[in-house]
Amino acid sequence: MLNKLFNKSKIGKHSMEVKESLKNDECLPYHIAIIMDGNGRWAKKRAMPRIAGHHEGMQTVRKITRIADDIGIKVLTLYAFSTENWKRPKSEVEYLMSLPQMFLNSFMPELMERNIRVEMIGDKEGLPSNTKSALNEAMEKTKNNTGLILNFAMNYGSRAEIVNAMKDIMIEVNNGNLTLEEVDEKTIDQYLLTSKLPEPDLLIRTSGEVRLSNFMLWQLAYTEFWFTDVLWPDFDKETFMEAIQAYQQRNRRYGGLKGE
Ligand code: FPP
C-alpha cells in the first residue's frame, strides 16, 4: 500500500492511488508541524561533522516537502532553528544560517513548478542579512502561489512569541483600541505569528526526544502528537506515511465525547 501511495505520475496533484489509500480527504491532516531532530547524532554515527548531518537534514526537507505536496497537505511547518540554538558553536550556527539560502537557491524552480508558497515564523530581524534576504526573496517570489504552504520556523521561540503578542495586545488596550473584556482566545490567536495559519493537526518529532522545546506551545493545544526514534536525515516516505496513518486512527474529541 505504501508503494501505491507514492506512485505519483504528476507533480502536486492527488493520484488515484493516493485518493484510494487515504480513506477520505477529511482524514488527511491539513497542517503538519515537524520538530526535525537528530541531525547531529546521524552524523556522529558516521564519524562525520555535525554540519554533515544538517546538510543531510536539508535533503530530507526537500524530500518531505515533495511528499507533503504530492499527497495534498496544505501547510507544512518545519522547526529549523530555535531561539535557543544560538547557544551552539559559532561554526554550526553559521552553517545552519546558510541552509535557507542553499535550499531556496536550488529548490526555487521546483517550488514554483509545484505552486508552493514559502512562509516563515520567528524573529526575522535577528537573522543574519543573507539568511533574511534569502527568506524574504523566496516569500516574495512565491507569494501568489496557492498550493502547499512551506512554513519555516527560523529563530523561533514560542514563549517569546506569546510575550510579544501580550505586549501588542496591551498596547492596543492602552491606546483604547481594545478593551480588556474583548481580549479572548481569538484575540491572542490574531496576535501570534501564526495568525494566518490554522493550528497544526499533527506534530511529528524525530530522534526519540519527547518534548516540545518551546515550539508552538499555544497552537498545539489540540494537536495530535507522533514521535519516532528515526533520526531526521533518515526520515523517509514510509515513516511519514506511518505518522499520517497513525493520525488517521486517532479520535479527535477536542475535550468533547467520543463520536460527537
Ligand atoms: C536538531 O538536530 C536540528 C536542528 C537544530 C536543525 C534542523 C535543520 C534542518 C533539518 C535543516 C533545515 C533546512 C532548511 C532548508 C532551513 P540536532 O542537531 O540537535 O541533532 P542531535 O540532537 O542529534 O545533536
Side-chain angles (χ1 to χ4, degrees), residues 77-92:
T77 295
L78 301 175
Y79 201 11
F81 193 91
S82 77
T83 44
E84 287 70 37
N85 287 150
W86 295 107
K87 294 177 200 153
R88 296 185 177 211
K90 191 165 172 266
S91 57
E92 184 173 343

Side-chain angles (χ1 to χ4, degrees), residues 21 44 69 121 123 142 159 196 206 233 246:
S21 307
K44 194 171 178 200
D69 180 40
I121 52 171
D123 176 11
T142 62
R159 288 183 173 178
K196 294 195 176 69
T206 58

Side-chain angles (χ1 to χ4, degrees), residues 43 87 92 107 112 121 141 154 160 171 173 191-192 215 218 224 227 237:
K87 294 177 200 153
E92 184 173 343
F107 205 36
M112 292 306 288
I121 52 171
K141 195 151 188 220
M154 205 63 213
I171 290 170
V173 172
Y191 282 82
L192 293 174
F215 184 57
W218 173 275
E224 297 293 331
F227 298 97
K237 62 188 181 188

Side-chain angles (χ1 to χ4, degrees), residues 74 76 111-112 114-120 138-152 196-197:
K74 300 287 190 272
L76 180 66
L111 290 173
M112 292 306 288
R114 285 177 176 269
N115 194 25
I116 294 176
R117 196 170 102 212
V118 175
E119 284 290 341
M120 83 154 272
M139 287 191 280
E140 178 59 28
K141 195 151 188 220
T142 62
K143 71 178 180 199
N144 294 322
N145 289 354
T146 53
L148 171 74
I149 296 175
L150 177 59
N151 182 36
F152 288 106
K196 294 195 176 69
L197 299 173

